[in-house]
Amino acid sequence: MHTLGSPVLALQVQSEGTPFAGSGDVIGLIAGTTPINQAVLLILVLFSVVSWAIILQKTWTFRVSARDTARFLDAFRRSSKFSEVQAVCPTVSATPLVGVFQAGYAEMNAQFRLLNPGGAAPANPGSASTRPILKSLDGVDRALIRAATNEVTKLERRMTFLATTASVTPFIGLFGTVVGIMIAFQRIGATGSTNLAIVAPGISEALIATAAGLFAAIPALVFYNHFTHRVKEFSATMDDFALEFLNIAERNFT
């Protein structure tokens, strides 16, 4: 007990005699850290700022898209003419369903122009006895699939940066941690003292780098998973809409 207690008491006396002045001053601690740690913190701050900008932009985009999607589906299901739906599209441009509908509508118009050059577009499905006939329903299906894929790509834009932030920033913070611990040991070796006033700054720098890495990574990971789920929901909505569009086309133009 004597051999174990003596070093502990000695450390307590040394730490009480020379308290760590910057223990509560995080800004002062960052300002006094090494250039390497400052560079690490700057990189982490940049990752965090950009990721939060993407998070806010995506949150707003998905909210507006969901609102316009509901409005577009309501207009589509209440309209009896494709031309009426086409007229509504500019007012609900935020929904990905507009791109899918316009791709299918354009493909149908292209097929009707080939079969009947100079003929009118299929504005009113099945309203006349001389209704136009689709040459290839599979062609319309492929156009809808291509458009849906393109819309999913647009929805996923910039999300890869969130995934990169979530996976990379903890390791950048770990690098800062290692540097801080190395500095702490160098100070111990240079002074030959285990006083907390010597050790604490390096440990504090290490902990700040770790905290900054987690602060950048955790929100990026949470919102990346959230946005991925929202993209899957939009993708499922587009698939359902494409099937509904094909059913109308098959029922009225084949």
Side-chain angles (χ1 to χ4, degrees):
M1 293 296 295
H2 179 73
T3 56
L4 290 175
S6 298
V8 174
L9 290 175
L11 283 175
Q12 290 178 346
V13 170
Q14 291 176 354
S15 62
E16 291 173 359
T18 313
F20 175 49
S23 58
D25 188 1
V26 177
I27 298 178
L29 185 64
I30 295 174
T33 190
T34 62
I36 295 178
N37 274 323
Q38 289 178 351
V40 168
L41 293 175
L42 178 61
I43 292 172
L44 294 175
V45 168
L46 291 176
F47 267 102
S48 182
V49 169
V50 175
S51 64
W52 274 106
I54 294 173
I55 287 168
L56 295 176
Q57 185 266 333
K58 283 293 181 184
T59 300
W60 172 256
T61 298
F62 286 156
R63 181 176 300 176
V64 175
S65 295
R67 181 198 64 193
D68 282 2
T69 296
R71 293 171 57 188
F72 176 83
L73 286 175
D74 180 67
F76 178 79
R77 289 165 182 165
R78 298 174 71 166
S79 300
S80 60
K81 299 180 180 180
F82 284 147
S83 58
E84 294 177 355
V85 182
Q86 179 67 17
V88 172
C89 288
T91 64
V92 288
S93 58
T95 174
L97 296 184
V98 167
V100 178
F101 169 79
Q102 290 179 335
Y105 189 52
E107 176 63 23
M108 291 178 65
N109 283 335
Q111 291 192 25
F112 285 119
R113 282 195 295 268
L114 288 175
L115 293 175
N116 184 23
N124 192 355
S127 62
S129 57
T130 58
R131 65 182 181 180
I133 303 298
L134 280 173
K135 180 181 179 181
S136 172
L137 189 63
D138 290 338
V140 178
D141 187 21
R142 287 191 293 270
L144 294 172
I145 292 174
R146 286 196 303 270
T149 302
N150 185 51
E151 293 298 326
V152 169
T153 302
K154 291 180 182 178
L155 291 172
E156 291 177 339
R157 189 173 299 164
R158 300 186 184 91
M159 284 177 53
T160 53
F161 186 86
L162 295 180
T164 301
T165 299
S167 59
V168 169
T169 51
F171 293 100
I172 298 176
L174 180 62
F175 173 76
T177 300
V178 172
V179 171
I181 293 175
M182 290 173 58
I183 292 173
F185 280 111
Q186 287 177 352
R187 288 171 178 169
I188 293 174
T191 60
S193 173
T194 57
N195 193 320
L196 286 180
I198 303 297
V199 179
I203 301 299
S204 298
E205 293 170 8
L207 294 177
I208 290 175
T210 301
L214 294 177
F215 179 80
I218 292 174
L221 179 60
V222 170
F223 281 98
Y224 174 79
N225 291 333
H226 172 68
F227 293 149
T228 300
H229 177 70
R230 294 298 304 275
V231 169
K232 289 181 180 179
E233 289 180 341
F234 280 115
S235 179
T237 302
M238 284 186 283
D239 290 341
D240 292 341
F241 174 77
L243 293 176
E244 189 173 352
F245 187 98
L246 286 173
N247 287 338
I248 295 174
E250 184 177 15
R251 187 164 56 247
N252 295 284
F253 299 114
T254 59

